[in-house]
Amino acid sequence: MMMMKPQLQKPPSSSARSSPLLPLKSGSSAILSSPSFVNILPARGHTKHHLSKKYNRIRASGEVKAATATTTGLDQKDTAVTVKAVVTVQETAANILSTLSLTAPLDTLTDFAGKTFLLELVSAQLDHKTGLEKETIKGYAHKVNQKETIVTYESVLTIPAGFGDIGAVQVENEHHKEAYIKSIEITGFPNGTSVSVPCNSWTHSKYDNKQKRIFFTNKSYLPSETPSGIKRLREEELQLLRGNGEGERKTSERIYDYDTYNDLGDPDSKDELTRPVLGDKDHPYPRRCRTGRPRTKKDPLSEERSSNVYVPRDEAFSELKQLTFSAKTLKSVLHALLPQLEITLVDPELGFPYFTAIDSLFNEGVTLPKPTTSGFFQSIIPRLVKAISDGQDDLLLFETPEILDRDKFSWFKDEEFSRQTLAGLNPYSIELVTEWPLKSKLDPEIYGPAESLITTELVEKEIRGFMTVNEALKRKKLFILDYHDLLMPYVNKVREVEGTTLYGSRTLFFLTENGTLRPVAIELTRPPIGDKPQWKEVFTPTWDATGCWLWRLAKAHVCAHDSGYHQLVIHWLRTHCCTEPYIIAANRQLSAMHPIYRLLHPHFRYTMEINALARESLINAGGAIETCFSPAKYSIELSSAAYDQLWRFDMEALPADLIRRGMAVEDPTAEHGVKLTIEDYPFANDGLILWDAIKEWVGDYVNHYYPDPTLVESDNELQAWWTEVRTKGHADKKDEPWWPVLKTPEDLIHTLTTIIWVTAGHHAAVNFGQYMYAGYFPNRPTIARSNMPTEDPNDDLFKIFLKKPEAALLRCFPSQIQATKVMALLDVLSNHSPDEEYIGGNVESSWAENPVIKAAFERFSGNLKKLEGIIDERNTNMKLKNRVGAGVVPYELLKPFSESGVTGKGVPNSISI
């Protein structure tokens, strides 16, 4: 259906043009009229929404019932209404620089003529006489004021009688540069109300793209309830966001589409930087955002790399300093500080000669040659880099991590090694032993004998007569970190990479009577290699000097395995990587006016941009992950294997994850519906309260918008979103039987709760403690560089180990360049930016305007404040030995709120760093 010819209201008089910066009187004929921006939904930007008035349920087969004045700001039927619209634009650094461009004088003339933005108002209703869309109203907004970086534009406009409710506004940017429109405020309605219209989105120049931007009102509509006058625009906007799957994406575009991870390698640069494509039958993987870059010359399956990776325009980090603190810092570390470290620490294999040399990182620092831009590091990463004095070199000086500050020797202790499996950086790997004897599922023809050397006799000797192994299994007393079968296929390949080594590993723990874990045994295994048979050995806590040092070396290897698995699987894969398809599908299939889009939108903030940055400089071939973690060049390939073998959406819910690992059992009588196997499990104890709070909030929200259960299954946008998540976003697992089906509100509530948990609780638990626990790298080394002395007992090497075992441990630890690189990265990754948006913190304006949703959110926010108090109380309870004790870092990673900086607490809404 074609739109009827728009009405263009009178242009401004010449006197208006001569003084465009002066505010004009309401009703002046000199002012260009503009649409009434009533209840416009913000575009898919990420800054805070300020949506407008009270939400009204719609139940009129596509036609909108008469809305209240507080909803639309418009209560006229037979008379015209004159109102004033104030458009607020945020100037950015790019906008300011564009004033030096060749087109700047033309834009100045446009402002002078009062024609900066062309605004077009669309009625929500069809013309009842013709059945066609009503004529739209056009008008220009002109510049009236600028305070620092905030620029305002005004238009006085007349809404004609019978126009009806405002359904959408189209905006055309008359400048040659894009503009970040924050909001439009409408005042002057006869009932005294005003309308706040947030946009929070980049609006492209008409010279780059003639397509007008569409902003819908802030009223949420299921597809079947869409007002007739904006049905076409609803679908057109989604079509624009989907694109056609062709061509290379431009920075200004807002197109969401899928592609495989075919951009991690750089074969045109070096053959050794070739990497397999992730996202096919050989290497299953989630999909990322399509950029459309050309294919490489040497590998037609791989995409060329570029310094700026495309993400849809409104997914990109804001240019405002307060909105990019963490992002800018991370980029500075990746692109400036790490290369500077490589220049300073010339020998990449050089380790730390003494433990005191590690300590010096915190009290003496590393001297860096001063960059050409004076004060560069101090302005961007002042927490890390200090200026020694004017004109001299810079100093990389690390803050003392809390674990080291509280107990310098905690990393050495078995009890801390065990405690961190429940209350440390990776609480997701510990699992109950349910099968005995331990046995590999790998092919023994390739990997050697499957049976573990951790035998019944060995375990019963170690638990010293407390009980038999059968009793321990029955009473759920044995737990394991099992990295055997996942790592074994990579051991020989990784060992071909210079400067690293790898084993398959199993670490067994015993649950003591006071609820703490005690390590029992570590088994390290190397598969057959060449003419050598499989090698495996079990190490236990012993009471002789040689055995003690071998045990410490074995723990270092296990910690390196756990560090790699945590970073590559628990953190990157299960939060960052698997969330991107939810975001792409939501923008392609859920209209901006869909209530579920509005619920999820705060939880998707900045994720696509941080993932693009990771592909550019962190997980790419030769990037920080490959050079500093044990799996080396196979790191991301290893995460693909984990995705293939282990990832299931239905197991990403916290209760399901705990049950799968044997760390909980279903119990309808228990407070959270599950009973924990280890009662003092800080991550699970706090996490279940957060999970329940999220689920209650989501339940209140979903039940409000889907009062009739059949509405879920009949919601074509919702079903298209979830189908696309499965069939395109996670295409390599599309036929798995465990995918939830969205038939009832309960199905939808559980699915949405799982997504929000992953983006908020899961990510916070495994990200913001990174510097606290791994900033002192002996506690969590990211790489093991040397084999166990007993694997190939060369007399000379073993004599060196016996003579100076401390040196053997230091040789096993990361090199100086690896350690300092990782420490700098973890410091930044653990940091909360000043603009962090915490879960339950600020109500979205669209929720605040609806009394039911507002009350539900306030209840949610109140529950999170209660969680803060519960965690504080738990951290003073001396009975909870896994979170309280002498020198123990209190468990606060799931405290919902935090100040900015490296705090070890705070749960942001989204995966934004």
Side-chain angles (χ1 to χ4, degrees):
M1 186 183 299
M2 293 299 292
M3 209 172 218
M4 296 185 68
K5 184 178 178 181
Q7 301 173 353
L8 181 61
Q9 298 186 8
K10 290 182 180 180
S13 67
S14 57
S15 61
R17 289 194 192 102
S18 65
S19 55
L21 297 184
L22 297 176
L24 300 176
K25 294 180 181 179
S26 175
S28 169
S29 62
I31 302 175
L32 273 176
S33 295
S34 157
S36 170
F37 279 68
V38 182
N39 295 331
I40 299 174
L41 177 75
R44 297 156 189 263
H46 292 294
T47 51
K48 208 64 189 165
H49 298 187
H50 297 286
L51 306 181
S52 54
K53 305 297 177 181
K54 180 179 176 183
Y55 173 85
N56 294 296
R57 292 292 299 165
I58 307 296
R59 283 278 180 273
S61 62
E63 285 293 338
V64 183
K65 294 182 179 179
T68 65
T70 56
T71 301
T72 64
L74 184 61
D75 195 20
Q76 51 87 17
K77 296 293 181 184
D78 302 317
T79 59
V81 177
T82 300
V83 295
K84 181 169 71 173
V86 178
V87 182
T88 302
V89 172
Q90 173 73 58
E91 283 278 15
T92 65
N95 293 142
I96 294 168
L97 288 173
S98 70
T99 60
L100 305 176
S101 69
L102 295 175
T103 59
L106 298 175
D107 291 342
T108 301
L109 287 174
T110 300
D111 286 343
F112 189 74
K115 296 184 176 182
T116 308
F117 296 106
L118 177 61
L119 312 172
E120 186 170 344
L121 180 64
V122 182
S123 173
Q125 290 88 30
L126 296 176
D127 189 306
H128 69 278
K129 293 180 181 179
T130 65
L132 302 176
E133 293 175 359
K134 293 180 180 178
E135 293 185 5
T136 60
I137 305 166
K138 285 186 176 181
Y140 288 101
H142 65 277
K143 187 174 182 179
V144 295
N145 191 26
Q146 179 164 0
K147 290 185 178 180
E148 296 181 346
T149 60
I150 300 297
V151 188
T152 52
Y153 300 79
E154 282 187 7
S155 179
V156 172
L157 41 112
T158 301
I159 303 172
F163 187 77
D165 295 332
I166 310 303
V169 173
Q170 294 182 303
V171 180
E172 183 176 81
N173 176 9
E174 306 299 303
H175 276 185
H176 288 77
K177 62 180 184 295
E178 64 180 358
Y180 189 82
I181 302 180
K182 289 175 65 66
S183 66
I184 301 159
E185 296 288 331
I186 313 263
T187 58
F189 292 99
N191 54 16
T193 62
S194 62
V195 176
S196 176
V197 182
C199 301
N200 293 314
S201 179
W202 291 98
T203 302
H204 56 257
S205 165
K206 73 174 185 180
Y207 300 102
D208 293 330
N209 182 349
K210 293 188 180 299
Q211 185 75 44
K212 297 182 180 72
R213 283 298 310 275
I214 302 170
F215 297 105
F216 295 106
T217 72
N218 82 318
K219 293 186 66 175
S220 297
Y221 298 104
L222 298 180
S224 61
E225 299 169 340
T226 311
S228 57
I230 55 173
K231 280 185 175 180
R232 178 183 61 84
L233 289 181
R234 181 171 185 152
E235 180 52 36
E236 277 188 8
E237 173 72 351
L238 287 173
Q239 289 289 356
L240 287 172
L241 292 167
R242 291 175 195 142
N244 60 9
E246 299 175 0
E248 184 171 359
R249 296 276 66 86
K250 299 175 183 176
T251 303
S252 62
E253 292 179 329
R254 300 163 54 239
I255 293 174
Y256 295 77
D257 204 354
Y258 301 94
D259 208 342
T260 58
Y261 277 74
N262 61 357
D263 62 341
L264 301 182
D266 191 7
D268 289 350
S269 175
K270 294 180 182 178
D271 287 342
E272 54 265 35
L273 295 180
T274 300
R275 296 293 180 270
V277 172
L278 303 184
D280 57 24
K281 61 182 179 62
D282 294 324
H283 300 100
Y285 218 55
R287 299 303 190 258
R288 50 121 176 145
C289 183
R290 179 185 177 276
T291 66
R293 290 172 292 184
R295 298 303 172 98
T296 61
K297 297 178 179 62
K298 291 186 177 179
D299 179 8
L301 297 178
S302 293
E303 189 174 270
E304 284 184 3
R305 294 180 57 75
S306 57
S307 57
N308 290 307
V309 181
Y310 167 82
V311 294
R313 188 64 184 99
D314 284 336
E315 300 293 337
F317 294 128
S318 166
E319 291 185 28
L320 305 178
K321 184 178 180 181
Q322 65 267 32
L323 298 180
T324 60
F325 182 83
S326 296
K328 279 188 175 178
T329 305
L330 180 56
K331 286 184 177 180
S332 299
V333 168
L334 289 170
H335 298 302
L337 181 60
L338 298 195
Q340 201 77 343
L341 279 170
E342 290 173 352
I343 294 170
T344 305
L345 303 172
V346 179
D347 184 356
E349 301 299 318
L350 184 64
F352 290 89
Y354 310 103
F355 277 93
T356 51
I358 301 174
D359 296 340
S360 71
L361 294 174
F362 308 106
N363 51 48
E364 295 177 20
V366 178
T367 301
L368 300 173
K370 185 173 285 292
T372 54
T373 305
S374 179
F376 172 77
F377 285 138
Q378 293 86 52
S379 64
I380 301 295
I381 40 179
R383 180 182 149 90
L384 285 172
V385 179
K386 325 292 183 188
I388 300 174
S389 63
D390 291 341
Q392 294 190 14
D393 292 337
D394 289 330
L395 188 68
L396 176 64
L397 186 65
F398 291 97
E399 301 282 336
T400 303
E402 188 173 359
I403 190 170
L404 184 63
D405 193 44
R406 284 177 175 265
D407 183 352
K408 185 176 181 178
F409 303 104
S410 60
W411 70 276
F412 221 50
K413 300 174 181 176
D414 286 353
E415 56 267 32
E416 183 64 14
F417 172 66
S418 302
R419 189 191 73 84
Q420 288 182 29
T421 64
L422 303 172
L425 192 51
N426 177 20
Y428 270 98
S429 288
I430 189 75
E431 54 188 322
L432 179 70
V433 176
T434 56
E435 296 179 1
W436 194 266
L438 301 175
K439 189 175 181 181
S440 171
K441 293 179 174 60
L442 298 175
D443 184 352
E445 292 294 320
I446 299 173
Y447 299 102
E451 294 76 19
S452 170
L453 293 183
I454 302 178
T455 61
T456 299
E457 294 74 24
L458 184 147
V459 173
E460 290 181 351
K461 177 184 175 184
E462 288 301 315
I463 61 178
R464 295 180 180 83
F466 280 114
M467 59 189 72
T468 65
V469 166
N470 284 336
E471 287 175 313
L473 292 168
K474 188 175 180 180
R475 293 173 58 183
K476 298 183 178 179
K477 294 286 189 179
L478 293 180
F479 296 84
I480 192 170
L481 286 181
D482 191 350
Y483 296 129
H484 184 278
D485 284 11
L486 183 67
L487 294 182
M488 281 286 277
Y490 292 92
V491 169
N492 288 339
K493 290 191 287 187
V494 167
R495 286 180 170 220
E496 293 175 1
V497 179
E498 188 176 350
T500 187
T501 190
L502 193 64
Y503 294 100
S505 69
R506 298 184 179 100
T507 307
L508 192 70
F509 300 89
F510 177 73
L511 183 63
T512 66
E513 292 301 312
N514 64 9
T516 60
L517 291 175
R518 183 165 70 80
V520 172
I522 293 172
E523 180 179 42
L524 300 178
T525 307
R526 184 211 67 209
I529 181 170
D531 58 355
K532 296 180 180 178
Q534 181 197 72
W535 175 88
K536 67 175 65 168
E537 187 170 346
V538 176
F539 303 90
T540 59
T542 62
W543 307 103
D544 67 279
T546 302
C548 280
W549 277 104
L550 288 173
W551 171 248
R552 287 164 186 155
L553 280 164
K555 281 199 299 181
H557 281 274
V558 169
C559 286
H561 301 164
D562 192 64
S563 291
Y565 187 79
H566 158 262
Q567 201 65 265
L568 299 168
V569 178
I570 302 299
H571 184 197
W572 162 254
L573 173 69
R574 289 178 61 178
T575 66
H576 288 260
C577 187
C578 286
T579 295
E580 187 155 337
Y582 312 147
I583 303 171
I584 298 173
N587 283 280
R588 287 167 55 87
Q589 300 297 341
L590 294 177
S591 168
M593 66 175 81
H594 199 292
I596 300 307
Y597 180 86
R598 288 190 172 162
L599 175 67
L600 289 174
H601 189 242
H603 301 285
F604 294 159
R605 179 181 188 242
Y606 294 161
T607 301
M608 290 181 69
E609 175 81 341
I610 198 69
N611 286 1
L613 180 57
R615 299 202 316 275
E616 180 188 338
S617 302
L618 274 174
I619 64 171
N620 60 299
I625 295 296
E626 286 194 359
T627 56
C628 298
F629 284 77
S630 276
K633 63 184 288 187
Y634 301 99
S635 291
I636 303 303
E637 186 180 330
L638 178 67
S639 74
S640 167
Y643 177 73
D644 181 32
Q645 299 170 31
L646 303 172
W647 189 85
R648 295 175 46 156
F649 179 86
D650 62 327
M651 294 297 164
E652 291 304 287
L654 177 60
D657 173 82
L658 294 170
I659 291 168
R660 175 167 73 165
R661 291 187 285 121
M663 301 304 291
V665 293
E666 286 190 68
D667 183 353
T669 66
E671 183 180 3
H672 306 290
V674 295
K675 181 181 179 182
L676 293 177
T677 309
I678 299 177
E679 291 183 14
D680 182 15
Y681 185 0
F683 160 71
N685 295 130
D686 299 351
L688 286 169
I689 298 177
L690 179 56
W691 167 271
D692 280 358
I694 295 170
K695 190 169 186 179
E696 181 184 337
W697 153 240
V698 173
D700 290 341
Y701 190 97
V702 167
N703 288 327
H704 178 72
Y705 287 106
Y706 295 89
D708 180 353
T710 62
L711 289 172
V712 171
E713 198 166 9
S714 64
D715 185 338
N716 62 302
E717 285 185 5
L718 183 74
Q719 296 298 330
W721 165 65
W722 192 238
T723 297
E724 191 168 288
V725 166
R726 175 174 58 85
T727 61
K728 291 189 176 181
H730 288 273
D732 299 324
K733 286 181 173 280
K734 62 183 173 60
D735 297 321
E736 296 288 355
W738 39 255
W739 281 102
V741 177
L742 302 184
K743 288 188 175 182
T744 66
E746 289 71 28
D747 297 333
L748 180 56
I749 290 165
H750 190 76
T751 296
L752 296 174
T753 302
T754 299
I755 291 173
I756 293 172
W757 162 257
V758 169
T759 64
H762 180 151
H763 181 258
V766 302
N767 182 75
F768 291 102
Q770 291 196 84
Y771 190 74
M772 182 168 64
Y773 283 107
Y776 185 66
F777 70 84
N779 184 60
R780 284 185 69 79
T782 58
I783 191 169
R785 297 191 299 144
S786 59
N787 296 337
M788 292 295 292
T790 54
E791 180 185 334
D792 288 308
N794 176 295
D795 287 343
D796 292 337
L797 288 178
F798 199 73
K799 284 179 181 176
I800 293 172
F801 162 69
L802 291 176
K803 185 176 182 179
K804 201 165 186 180
E806 178 185 329
L809 183 58
L810 287 166
R811 276 197 305 274
C812 185
F813 280 160
S815 68
Q816 291 188 31
I817 183 65
Q818 289 169 333
T820 49
K821 273 186 176 182
V822 170
M823 289 166 68
L825 282 170
L826 297 187
D827 185 275
V828 175
L829 294 175
S830 304
N831 193 86
H832 288 295
S833 65
D835 78 312
E836 198 83 88
E837 294 184 7
Y838 296 99
I839 191 166
N842 297 316
V843 61
E844 297 290 308
S845 296
S846 60
W847 308 339
E849 300 297 342
N850 185 309
V852 175
I853 299 301
K854 182 181 179 182
F857 182 82
E858 287 175 348
R859 187 161 53 251
F860 175 49
S861 185
N863 286 336
L864 297 184
K865 289 181 174 68
K866 289 179 184 175
L867 174 56
E868 291 249 315
I870 291 170
I871 291 175
D872 286 339
E873 186 279 327
R874 285 174 172 173
N875 286 335
T876 62
N877 186 347
M878 293 298 294
K879 293 180 181 179
L880 302 178
K881 299 183 185 301
N882 290 323
R883 66 190 306 154
V884 182
V888 170
V889 176
Y891 190 78
E892 296 185 311
L893 288 170
L894 291 176
K895 284 189 76 171
F897 309 109
S898 172
E899 61 275 15
S900 61
V902 178
T903 64
K905 59 185 176 183
V907 181
N909 271 325
S910 65
I911 303 163
S912 57
I913 188 66

